[in-house]
Coordinates of all heavy atoms in Angstrom, one line a residue:
E1 N 6.8 24.0 -50.3 CA 6.4 24.1 -51.7 C 5.5 23.0 -52.0 O 5.6 21.8 -51.5 CB 7.6 24.0 -52.6 CG 8.5 25.2 -52.6 CD 9.6 25.1 -53.6 OE1 9.5 24.3 -54.5 OE2 10.6 25.9 -53.5
I2 N 4.5 23.3 -52.9 CA 3.6 22.2 -53.4 C 3.6 22.4 -54.9 O 3.3 23.4 -55.5 CB 2.2 22.4 -52.9 CG1 2.2 22.2 -51.4 CG2 1.2 21.5 -53.6 CD1 0.8 22.3 -50.7
D3 N 4.0 21.2 -55.6 CA 4.1 21.2 -57.1 C 5.0 22.4 -57.6 O 4.6 23.1 -58.5 CB 2.7 21.3 -57.7 CG 2.0 19.9 -57.6 OD1 2.7 18.9 -57.4 OD2 0.8 19.9 -57.8
N4 N 6.1 22.5 -57.0 CA 7.1 23.5 -57.3 C 6.7 25.0 -57.1 O 7.3 25.9 -57.7 CB 7.6 23.3 -58.8 CG 8.2 22.0 -59.0 OD1 9.0 21.6 -58.3 ND2 7.8 21.3 -60.1
Q5 N 5.6 25.1 -56.4 CA 5.1 26.5 -56.1 C 5.3 26.8 -54.7 O 4.9 26.1 -53.7 CB 3.6 26.6 -56.4 CG 3.0 27.9 -56.2 CD 1.5 28.0 -56.5 OE1 0.8 27.0 -56.4 NE2 1.0 29.1 -56.9
R6 N 6.1 27.9 -54.4 CA 6.4 28.3 -53.1 C 5.1 28.8 -52.4 O 4.3 29.5 -53.0 CB 7.4 29.5 -53.1 CG 7.7 30.1 -51.8 CD 8.6 29.2 -51.0 NE 8.6 29.6 -49.6 CZ 9.4 29.0 -48.7 NH1 10.3 28.1 -49.0 NH2 9.4 29.4 -47.4
I7 N 4.9 28.4 -51.1 CA 3.7 28.8 -50.4 C 3.9 30.3 -49.9 O 4.9 30.6 -49.3 CB 3.5 27.9 -49.2 CG1 3.3 26.4 -49.6 CG2 2.3 28.4 -48.3 CD1 3.2 25.4 -48.5
T8 N 2.9 31.1 -50.3 CA 3.0 32.5 -50.0 C 1.8 33.0 -49.2 O 0.8 32.2 -49.0 CB 3.1 33.3 -51.3 OG1 1.9 33.2 -52.0 CG2 4.3 32.8 -52.1
T9 N 1.8 34.3 -48.9 CA 0.6 34.9 -48.2 C -0.7 34.7 -49.0 O -1.7 34.4 -48.4 CB 0.9 36.4 -48.0 OG1 2.2 36.6 -47.4 CG2 -0.2 37.0 -47.1
T10 N -0.6 34.8 -50.3 CA -1.8 34.8 -51.1 C -2.3 33.4 -51.5 O -3.5 33.2 -51.7 CB -1.6 35.6 -52.4 OG1 -0.4 35.1 -53.1 CG2 -1.3 37.1 -52.1
N11 N -1.4 32.4 -51.5 CA -1.8 31.1 -51.9 C -1.9 30.1 -50.8 O -2.2 28.9 -51.1 CB -1.0 30.6 -53.1 CG 0.5 30.3 -52.6 OD1 0.8 30.2 -51.5 ND2 1.4 30.1 -53.6
V12 N -1.6 30.4 -49.6 CA -1.5 29.4 -48.5 C -2.8 28.7 -48.3 O -2.8 27.5 -48.1 CB -1.0 30.1 -47.2 CG1 -2.0 31.1 -46.7 CG2 -0.8 29.0 -46.2
Q13 N -4.0 29.4 -48.4 CA -5.2 28.7 -48.3 C -5.5 27.7 -49.4 O -5.9 26.5 -49.2 CB -6.4 29.7 -48.2 CG -7.7 29.1 -47.9 CD -7.8 28.5 -46.5 OE1 -7.8 29.2 -45.5 NE2 -8.0 27.2 -46.4
A14 N -5.2 28.1 -50.6 CA -5.4 27.2 -51.8 C -4.4 26.0 -51.7 O -4.8 24.9 -52.0 CB -5.1 28.0 -53.1
C15 N -3.2 26.2 -51.2 CA -2.2 25.1 -51.1 C -2.7 24.1 -50.0 O -2.6 22.9 -50.2 CB -0.9 25.7 -50.7 SG 0.0 26.5 -52.0
Y16 N -3.3 24.7 -49.0 CA -3.8 23.8 -47.9 C -4.9 22.9 -48.5 O -4.9 21.7 -48.2 CB -4.3 24.6 -46.7 CG -4.9 23.7 -45.6 CD1 -4.1 23.2 -44.6 CD2 -6.2 23.4 -45.6 CE1 -4.6 22.4 -43.6 CE2 -6.8 22.6 -44.6 CZ -6.0 22.1 -43.6 OH -6.5 21.3 -42.7
S17 N -5.8 23.5 -49.1 CA -7.0 22.8 -49.7 C -6.5 21.7 -50.7 O -7.0 20.6 -50.7 CB -8.0 23.8 -50.3 OG -8.5 24.7 -49.4
K18 N -5.6 22.1 -51.5 CA -5.1 21.1 -52.5 C -4.4 20.0 -51.9 O -4.5 18.8 -52.3 CB -4.1 21.9 -53.4 CG -3.5 21.0 -54.6 CD -2.6 21.8 -55.5 CE -2.2 21.0 -56.7 NZ -1.3 21.7 -57.6
L19 N -3.7 20.2 -50.8 CA -3.0 19.2 -50.1 C -3.9 18.2 -49.3 O -3.8 17.0 -49.3 CB -1.9 19.8 -49.1 CG -1.1 18.8 -48.3 CD1 -0.2 18.0 -49.2 CD2 -0.2 19.6 -47.3
I20 N -4.9 18.8 -48.6 CA -5.7 18.1 -47.7 C -7.0 17.5 -48.3 O -7.4 16.4 -48.1 CB -6.1 19.0 -46.5 CG1 -4.9 19.4 -45.7 CG2 -7.1 18.2 -45.5 CD1 -4.1 18.2 -45.1
K21 N -7.6 18.3 -49.2 CA -8.9 17.9 -49.8 C -8.9 18.3 -51.3 O -9.6 19.3 -51.6 CB -10.0 18.6 -49.0 CG -11.4 18.0 -49.2 CD -12.4 18.6 -48.2 CE -13.7 17.9 -48.4 NZ -14.7 18.5 -47.5
P22 N -8.2 17.6 -52.1 CA -8.2 18.0 -53.5 C -9.6 17.8 -54.2 O -10.3 16.9 -53.7 CB -7.1 17.1 -54.1 CG -7.1 15.9 -53.2 CD -7.3 16.5 -51.8
S23 N -9.9 18.6 -55.2 CA -11.2 18.5 -55.8 C -11.3 17.3 -56.7 O -12.4 16.9 -57.1 CB -11.4 19.8 -56.7 OG -10.4 19.9 -57.6
S24 N -10.2 16.7 -57.1 CA -10.3 15.5 -58.0 C -9.0 14.6 -57.7 O -8.1 15.1 -57.1 CB -10.3 15.9 -59.4 OG -9.1 16.6 -59.8
P25 N -9.0 13.3 -58.1 CA -7.8 12.5 -57.9 C -6.6 13.2 -58.5 O -6.6 13.6 -59.6 CB -8.2 11.2 -58.6 CG -9.7 11.2 -58.6 CD -10.1 12.6 -58.7
T26 N -5.5 13.1 -57.7 CA -4.4 13.8 -58.2 C -3.1 13.3 -57.5 O -3.2 12.6 -56.5 CB -4.5 15.4 -57.9 OG1 -3.4 16.1 -58.5 CG2 -4.5 15.6 -56.4
S27 N -2.0 13.7 -58.1 CA -0.7 13.4 -57.5 C 0.0 14.7 -57.3 O 0.0 15.6 -58.1 CB 0.2 12.5 -58.5 OG 1.5 12.3 -58.0
I28 N 0.6 14.9 -56.1 CA 1.1 16.1 -55.6 C 2.6 15.9 -55.2 O 2.9 15.0 -54.4 CB 0.3 16.8 -54.5 CG1 -1.1 17.0 -55.0 CG2 0.9 18.1 -54.0 CD1 -2.0 17.5 -53.8
K29 N 3.4 16.8 -55.6 CA 4.8 16.8 -55.1 C 4.9 17.9 -54.0 O 4.6 19.1 -54.3 CB 5.8 17.1 -56.2 CG 5.9 15.9 -57.2 CD 7.0 16.2 -58.2 CE 7.1 15.1 -59.2 NZ 7.4 13.8 -58.6
V30 N 5.4 17.6 -52.8 CA 5.6 18.5 -51.8 C 7.1 18.5 -51.4 O 7.8 17.5 -51.4 CB 4.7 18.2 -50.5 CG1 3.2 18.2 -50.9 CG2 5.1 16.9 -49.9
K31 N 7.6 19.7 -51.0 CA 9.0 19.9 -50.6 C 9.0 20.4 -49.2 O 8.3 21.3 -48.8 CB 9.7 20.9 -51.5 CG 11.2 21.1 -51.2 CD 11.8 22.1 -52.0 CE 12.0 21.6 -53.5 NZ 12.8 22.6 -54.3
D32 N 9.8 19.7 -48.3 CA 10.0 20.2 -47.0 C 11.0 21.3 -46.9 O 11.7 21.6 -47.9 CB 10.3 19.1 -46.0 CG 11.6 18.4 -46.2 OD1 12.5 19.0 -46.9 OD2 11.9 17.3 -45.7
K33 N 11.2 21.9 -45.7 CA 12.1 23.0 -45.6 C 13.6 22.7 -45.8 O 14.4 23.5 -46.0 CB 11.9 23.6 -44.2 CG 12.4 22.8 -43.0 CD 12.3 23.6 -41.7 CE 12.9 22.7 -40.6 NZ 12.9 23.5 -39.3
D34 N 13.9 21.4 -45.8 CA 15.2 20.9 -46.0 C 15.5 20.6 -47.5 O 16.5 20.2 -47.9 CB 15.6 19.7 -45.2 CG 15.5 20.0 -43.7 OD1 16.0 21.1 -43.3 OD2 15.0 19.1 -42.9
G35 N 14.4 20.8 -48.4 CA 14.6 20.6 -49.8 C 14.2 19.2 -50.3 O 14.3 18.9 -51.5
K36 N 13.8 18.3 -49.4 CA 13.5 16.9 -49.8 C 12.1 16.9 -50.4 O 11.1 17.5 -49.9 CB 13.5 16.0 -48.7 CG 13.3 14.5 -49.1 CD 13.5 13.5 -47.9 CE 13.3 12.1 -48.4 NZ 13.6 11.1 -47.3
V37 N 11.9 16.2 -51.5 CA 10.6 16.2 -52.2 C 9.9 14.8 -52.0 O 10.6 13.8 -52.1 CB 10.8 16.4 -53.8 CG1 9.5 16.3 -54.5 CG2 11.4 17.8 -54.0
Y38 N 8.6 14.9 -51.8 CA 7.8 13.7 -51.6 C 6.6 13.8 -52.6 O 6.1 14.8 -52.8 CB 7.2 13.7 -50.1 CG 8.2 13.8 -49.0 CD1 8.8 15.0 -48.7 CD2 8.7 12.6 -48.4 CE1 9.7 15.1 -47.6 CE2 9.6 12.7 -47.3 CZ 10.1 14.0 -47.0 OH 11.0 14.1 -46.0
T39 N 6.3 12.6 -53.1 CA 5.1 12.5 -54.0 C 4.0 11.8 -53.3 O 4.2 10.6 -52.9 CB 5.5 11.8 -55.3 OG1 6.6 12.5 -56.0 CG2 4.3 11.7 -56.2
I40 N 2.9 12.4 -53.2 CA 1.7 11.8 -52.5 C 0.6 11.8 -53.4 O 0.4 12.7 -54.3 CB 1.4 12.5 -51.2 CG1 1.1 14.0 -51.4 CG2 2.5 12.3 -50.1 CD1 0.7 14.8 -50.2
N41 N -0.2 10.7 -53.3 CA -1.4 10.5 -54.2 C -2.7 10.6 -53.4 O -2.8 10.1 -52.3 CB -1.3 9.2 -54.9 CG 0.0 9.0 -55.7 OD1 0.3 9.9 -56.6 ND2 0.8 8.0 -55.4
S42 N -3.7 11.3 -54.0 CA -5.0 11.3 -53.4 C -5.7 10.0 -53.7 O -5.4 9.3 -54.6 CB -5.8 12.5 -53.9 OG -6.1 12.4 -55.2

């Protein structure tokens, strides 16, 4: 999950771009498969 949004077939590319190369400075919350949440800043 990225920012409480489950990664799906339709949004996986947008999620990848947001995570790796955001269009502007941002803070993102990501959740791993075990449910732990991490906050990362661009």
Side-chain angles (χ1 to χ4, degrees):
E1 291 185 16
I2 295 180
D3 285 340
N4 298 315
Q5 183 180 26
R6 178 74 198 188
I7 299 174
T8 67
T9 309
T10 56
N11 69 13
V12 62
Q13 184 68 66
C15 287
Y16 177 88
S17 298
K18 184 177 183 179
L19 180 64
I20 299 298
K21 199 174 182 180
S23 58
S24 61
T26 186
S27 178
I28 300 173
K29 292 186 182 296
V30 300
K31 181 184 289 187
D32 66 17
K33 68 175 184 178
D34 297 320
K36 185 174 181 179
V37 177
Y38 306 81
T39 301
I40 56 177
N41 302 306
S42 65

